[in-house]
Amino acid sequence: MELGVMTPGDEVIVPANTFIASVLAVTRCGLVPVFVEPCAETSLIDDSLIEAAITPRTRAVMIVHLYGRCAWTERISDICRRHGLKLIEDNAQAHGAVFREQRTGSLGDAAGHSFYPAKNLGALGDAGAVTTDDDALADVVRRLGNYGMEPKYHCDVQGLNSRIDEIQAAVLTVKLRYLDEDNNRRRAIADIYSEMLPPHLASPSPDASFLTANPSSVFHVFPIFTEQRDALQRYLLSEGVETNIHYPIPPHRQRCFPQFNHLSLPVTERLAATELSLPISPALSPSGARIAAEKILHFIQK
Ligand SMILES: Cc1ncc(COP(=O)(O)O)c(C=O)c1O
């Protein structure tokens, strides 16, 4: 069976600012991640830097729709087309996001999805999927996720057990009907934060505004950026408001990747040092979001 065009040592361009799982998906295959810095306004891969990162060994570009924001751009698509590169989407955080009437997860050659319970489309336990409109690739993915078997008990390739179980699939099938409604609830919470908080908190870049940079966001995360991040997080916790950080240590600085620890990726490192994720979920009440915003205002006006 032809598994594709990649051989160990081939390179995949990945955003430096992402959850480590995006990068592990590359390294697990014996491929080499080439990190590209994010745009400070959006926190998403900076498409103006991608072409310079391409080498004769580059085979694919992975974009990550981080925080629920669509990372796909015409420019990225064009670069992939011109250089014969596959475009892979990490859609773990952006279920339901629509860009020019097309859902994320259908914008590239293939997309990875996580249905971890806290995701916008979450199962009751771990689950995930790959989407693609390439039938041959779909066959390969199905086979790899079932020990590489095809037909049963015949393995031409070494696969793994990565099947979604039926109960999770059934739950997701029902929850899918409510995804747009749930995402609208997230948007309503995001609107409250956007109205109540000063715009400069939305981004390390002073000219960015909360929503105009990300009209298609489904707000998996509502990030703010502040030099006082750790003190603010402690204060909010003492006031009963739980927050999170996405992510405190960028992949290239993780100890599991000593080969990348020397890299200097200042935009990514700045985001990691200043990002704070505010409470957001379809279950959060508007009054809960207002209380959180008031406490943030109280802290920054002190
Ligand atoms: C951007 C991103 N990619 C990949 C993953 C991995 O998903 P899973 O935990 O379902 O394997 C996650 C989940 O946390 C994620 O946020």
Side-chain angles (χ1 to χ4, degrees):
M1 179 175 61
E2 182 55 60
L3 271 188
V5 291
M6 301 201 197
T7 50
D10 282 347
E11 295 171 2
V12 178
I13 290 174
V14 294
N17 184 43
T18 186
F19 181 50
I20 196 161
S22 319
V23 182
L24 289 171
V26 174
T27 55
R28 281 270 171 221
C29 300
L31 305 172
V32 179
V34 174
F35 297 101
V36 167
E37 284 269 60
C39 183
E41 284 79 19
T42 63
S43 308
L44 305 174
I45 192 165
D46 185 340
D47 63 6
S48 71
L49 303 177
I50 290 177
E51 210 146 15
I54 294 173
T55 76
R57 296 218 68 172
T58 309
R59 296 290 175 269
V61 175
M62 181 196 290
I63 54 173
V64 180
H65 303 304
L66 198 71
Y67 306 150
R69 301 169 174 183
C70 179
W72 186 93
T73 65
E74 199 79 62
R75 186 173 190 172
I76 297 175
S77 180
D78 180 59
I79 290 169
C80 289
R81 212 175 306 117
R82 277 191 288 109
H83 292 269
L85 306 175
K86 295 288 184 199
L87 177 54
I88 310 298
E89 300 172 79
D90 178 336
N91 197 38
Q93 300 191 1
H95 293 130
V98 178
F99 185 78
R100 292 198 201 140
E101 297 179 16
Q102 213 178 322
R103 302 267 183 185
T104 57
S106 67
L107 299 165
D109 293 292
H113 303 257
S114 165
F115 304 126
Y116 178 73
K119 294 295 195 280
N120 288 41
L121 181 57
L124 299 180
D126 278 307
V130 173
T131 49
T132 178
D133 61 0
D134 178 337
D135 289 339
L137 179 60
D139 278 348
V140 170
V141 171
R142 271 192 213 102
R143 191 181 295 201
L144 285 174
N146 191 28
Y147 303 108
M149 291 195 294
E150 184 54 46
K152 200 168 183 184
Y153 303 134
H154 292 250
C155 300
D156 294 349
V157 292
Q158 295 179 31
L160 65 162
N161 175 357
S162 186
R163 299 178 303 249
I164 189 168
D165 80 65
E166 284 84 350
I167 300 212
Q168 301 306 339
V171 168
L172 289 165
T173 303
V174 175
K175 285 191 76 182
L176 187 56
R177 287 186 222 138
Y178 301 94
L179 177 62
D180 289 339
E181 204 177 305
D182 281 354
N183 283 340
N184 283 337
R185 289 213 181 90
R186 287 176 180 270
R187 287 196 182 97
I189 300 295
D191 283 347
I192 291 170
Y193 289 142
S194 305
E195 278 158 25
M196 291 184 66
L197 298 175
H200 70 81
L201 279 183
S203 165
S205 161
D207 56 349
S209 69
F210 278 101
L211 293 170
T212 48
N214 306 286
S216 61
S217 181
V218 288
F219 295 99
H220 177 62
V221 166
F222 193 99
I224 60 170
F225 300 88
T226 166
E227 301 294 331
Q228 299 169 284
R229 190 263 309 276
D230 294 343
L232 174 58
Q233 185 175 40
R234 277 194 301 274
Y235 169 73
L236 289 174
L237 191 59
S238 74
E239 293 286 312
V241 177
E242 211 177 316
T243 56
N244 208 338
I245 296 173
H246 295 89
Y247 296 93
I249 307 172
H252 72 283
R253 287 293 161 108
Q254 295 287 352
R255 280 158 71 178
C256 67
F257 286 143
Q259 69 274 40
F260 304 127
N261 288 173
H262 68 281
L263 294 175
S264 169
L265 295 159
V267 184
T268 299
E269 286 152 25
R270 183 100 234 96
L271 294 176
T274 56
E275 195 274 345
L276 188 68
S277 304
L278 304 188
I280 192 160
S281 96
L284 180 65
S285 66
S287 59
R290 275 188 214 102
I291 290 168
E294 272 158 17
K295 291 190 187 302
I296 294 165
L297 289 171
H298 177 76
F299 178 86
I300 59 178
Q301 282 157 10
K302 264 197 298 190

